[in-house]
Amino acid sequence: MAGPDGERRPADARKVASGDVICGDCGETNKPGSEFCLFCGAYLGWQEREPSGANDDTEVLPAQPPAPARSVAPQPARAGQTTSPPAPVLAQPERPTPGPEPAARVEPVRPAPPPAPVTVAAVPVPPPDPGCPTCGRVIELGRRFCGHCGEQLVWPGTNAPVTRATQRSTWWSRLWDSKDRVARRAYRRSLPPLYRWRRVIVIVLALGLIGGGLTVVGRSPKAFFLARYHDVRNTLVAVPGVTAAIIPPEASAADTTPEALVDGTAKAWQMSWTSSTQGGPCRSTPTTAVIQLSFPATRVRDINLRAGLLDNNPNRLLQFRPKTVWIAYGDQCVERPLADVQQQTVPLDTEVLVDSVRLSVQTAYPPDQPTGGQDVLGFTEITLRSRPPVR
């Protein structure tokens, strides 16, 4: 405690049985050995000494010897005064000599009662935020939709909010969404110019390197990029300049020619076929007529077939219709099944440039009316398709 002159004065502190020192100024308990109060700064060093049985400031006086009894001498009588016998002198009792004062009794300081145990209520730990059932992202409680995937959320004990049904959109629909485009445009505009044009610069440099490499190897960069564009769009066109021939030529039915296979009309080419006719397997000697299509060297991607007569022709179901065929090109030969429909696409990729394709029937669908059917089988149109030519 600070006095008027700025110096710290000793506090009226006291010790407890446990050894702690209680500050007389603020009443706080300090650890044993503390010279100053940890709470108010009062000096506590003088309280380290234990109080003795006697007061240190009181001086004990020595015992006084008893005083001797005093005797009274007789006085002579005056004239005319009757002298009376002297009265006996009574000896007064001796006063006891006061001894040393008993030391002040120091009451022992009772230890402070232990503090009552404080019951602290357990603080409930909030459960962790649940995750989205669709994408697994952590979502704060109370949210109605997932901020990552848009999934509508229904928390336990609550009713489903009355909102529109959640429909997840594909990445390409989000790419063309007007709101997303506006947000992306605003974000790009907020970037520094270097970041905005960095992608453009990288793309231009990459295209320049590809074009330069193609020029070095003798290929046209324009043709290369056009071909990649058609690959992405999966653009297919009919192979131009296709001619058809039958091997052997006499296998054609009467009044039919192989040119009908590539003329783009409803006129069909036909050959003889019975229920016992059976074509040979791939890479074997053919036992039925072979259709050979010739054209400038092209990479064929697929074949569009119109097997049998058209659906509007009443004789279609009265004739045999191709069921399985084999197709040969270069040194390759594959077998393909056909459906009993008017028009279908047969998947085929030669992967290299070829200038001819051969086709032969192995099995056929029988006529729907066994009696009155026609022993012929034919094709209305065969169309080879490839990527558009680029130069």
Side-chain angles (χ1 to χ4, degrees):
M1 179 176 180
D5 53 357
E7 298 180 354
R8 291 188 176 273
R9 297 179 179 177
D12 186 12
R14 57 189 175 90
K15 283 190 175 181
V16 295
S18 61
D20 296 339
V21 180
I22 300 177
C23 178
D25 286 357
C26 62
E28 295 292 342
T29 302
N30 297 268
K31 294 182 179 180
S34 300
E35 295 186 359
F36 294 91
C37 179
L38 301 177
F39 300 91
C40 66
Y43 182 64
L44 306 176
W46 290 353
Q47 303 303 319
E48 292 295 331
R49 295 176 298 174
E50 294 292 337
S52 60
N55 191 350
D56 295 340
D57 296 335
T58 305
E59 181 179 359
V60 180
L61 300 177
Q64 295 288 339
R70 293 180 299 178
S71 60
V72 179
Q75 297 290 336
R78 294 180 180 180
Q81 188 177 11
T82 304
T83 304
S84 60
V89 177
L90 300 177
Q92 296 182 357
E94 296 181 357
R95 296 180 181 180
T97 303
E101 295 182 0
R105 183 179 180 182
V106 179
E107 294 293 336
V109 180
R110 296 181 180 180
V118 180
T119 303
V120 180
V123 179
V125 179
D129 294 338
C132 175
T134 302
C135 64
R137 293 296 182 92
V138 178
I139 306 171
E140 297 179 2
L141 290 174
R143 300 294 184 184
R144 297 174 59 187
F145 294 91
C146 175
H148 177 67
C149 66
E151 179 69 19
Q152 184 175 354
L153 307 173
V154 180
W155 303 109
T158 61
N159 297 325
V162 182
T163 57
R164 61 178 179 83
T166 303
Q167 182 178 2
R168 297 186 64 183
S169 56
T170 57
W171 66 270
W172 56 267
S173 62
R174 293 195 299 268
L175 182 64
W176 295 104
D177 188 12
S178 59
K179 295 182 180 179
D180 291 344
R181 290 202 307 272
V182 172
R184 287 194 299 271
R185 189 181 303 113
Y187 170 73
R188 287 193 297 267
R189 290 178 178 175
S190 64
L191 296 175
L194 178 60
Y195 287 90
R196 282 186 291 172
W197 292 99
R198 183 173 57 181
R199 291 190 302 173
V200 177
I201 296 173
V202 171
I203 293 174
V204 171
L205 291 176
L207 294 178
L209 291 175
I210 295 174
L214 294 174
T215 304
V216 170
V217 299
R219 298 186 59 182
S220 171
K222 176 184 177 182
F224 174 81
F225 288 115
L226 284 177
R228 301 293 78 76
Y229 172 78
H230 293 316
D231 288 340
V232 173
R233 298 293 301 273
N234 195 27
T235 306
L236 296 176
V237 296
V239 176
V242 179
T243 60
I246 304 299
I247 303 173
E250 60 272 10
S252 299
D255 300 332
T256 61
T257 60
E259 287 77 11
L261 296 171
V262 294
D263 60 0
T265 65
K267 188 177 181 179
W269 168 86
Q270 294 177 338
M271 65 177 177
S272 298
W273 194 279
T274 63
S275 57
S276 60
T277 304
Q278 185 73 26
C282 200
R283 299 182 185 278
S284 65
T285 302
T287 58
T288 58
V290 177
I291 302 173
Q292 179 169 327
L293 304 174
S294 301
F295 45 87
T298 306
R299 179 181 175 180
V300 179
R301 301 291 181 144
D302 64 27
I303 302 177
N304 188 276
L305 288 178
R306 289 186 177 183
L309 302 177
L310 299 181
D311 289 341
N312 57 5
N313 191 321
N315 293 324
R316 172 180 172 81
L317 300 179
L318 299 178
Q319 298 179 357
F320 290 90
R321 300 170 301 279
K323 185 177 182 180
T324 58
V325 298
W326 58 258
I327 304 172
Y329 54 91
D331 58 350
Q332 302 294 322
C333 184
V334 294
E335 296 181 359
R336 293 287 187 266
L338 302 180
D340 190 11
V341 294
Q342 171 183 288
Q343 184 173 352
Q344 58 195 301
T345 299
V346 179
L348 177 71
D349 188 357
T350 62
E351 297 182 358
V352 294
L353 300 178
V354 296
D355 56 4
S356 66
V357 171
R358 298 177 303 278
L359 183 146
S360 180
V361 180
Q362 294 177 296
T363 60
Y365 293 100
D368 288 356
Q369 299 179 4
T371 59
Q374 303 174 10
D375 294 336
V376 293
L377 178 146
F379 290 90
T380 301
E381 197 75 22
I382 301 178
T383 304
L384 305 178
R385 299 198 302 176
S386 66
R387 297 284 187 232
V390 292
R391 295 179 179 83

